[in-house]
Amino acid sequence: MTGVRTTGRGALPIHAQPRRFRVLVRSPILPFTMRRTILVGLAVLLLFPAAEAQNTYLFSDGKLDFRFYVDSAPGDYQYECMVTRVEIQPKGTDRVLWLIEVDSMQGFYCTQDEKLHAVELEDMNFDGYTDFRIQDGPSYRYTTYHYWLYKPERGRFEERVEMRELASPWFDKADSTVHD
């Protein structure tokens, strides 16, 4: 029977059964201070996982500051990183103009230094506004990116999914062409 547990007193629906909560671990073998140390240690491990860290990287184009939040964890050879959030604000202020939550990316390999090599700021559609791209996945022979281009008529950055098909592109400003 679903939702019913048989007890010595008969069958009671789950919502009518007495609830029991245990706050402390009770053990006649472990002294109180040792139990407290174990509980504190478990709480620290649950709240602060040691294998992951979040770093912040700041890029600027002279007018805007781009702040990239990156989660990283030790990988096989280097650190595996993933950009989780981008904040864009006027240079030198704390007022966030655009907040972009990034949730559809694969991790990429990065080094634990002051540089974030997987992010590039440049004018990718040759309209005079700074755009940005973030590397998607590990960098092998051909690197793919997620692209966000600034749309002045809408006053915001928009992700350009169709540009993900470009492999290791470079943008030639002299003749306004994209080379794949």
Side-chain angles (χ1 to χ4, degrees), residues 35-108:
R35 288 185 297 216
R36 187 176 61 191
T37 304
I38 291 171
L39 287 174
V40 169
L42 287 173
V44 167
L45 285 175
L46 290 174
L47 294 175
F48 305 106
E52 294 185 7
Q54 186 171 58
N55 299 313
T56 305
Y57 296 88
L58 180 66
F59 291 80
S60 182
D61 71 348
K63 297 177 185 174
L64 296 173
D65 286 339
F66 294 77
R67 192 173 309 275
F68 293 87
Y69 293 85
V70 178
D71 286 342
S72 61
D76 293 336
Y77 301 104
Q78 296 175 328
Y79 281 81
E80 186 169 332
C81 298
M82 183 180 304
V83 175
T84 58
R85 188 173 80 220
V86 182
E87 292 179 355
I88 304 168
Q89 53 205 54
K91 184 167 180 60
T93 69
D94 290 334
R95 186 173 59 104
V96 177
L97 297 176
W98 298 283
L99 174 66
I100 299 170
E101 298 287 341
V102 181
D103 60 356
S104 62
M105 294 185 60
Q106 299 177 17
F108 54 86

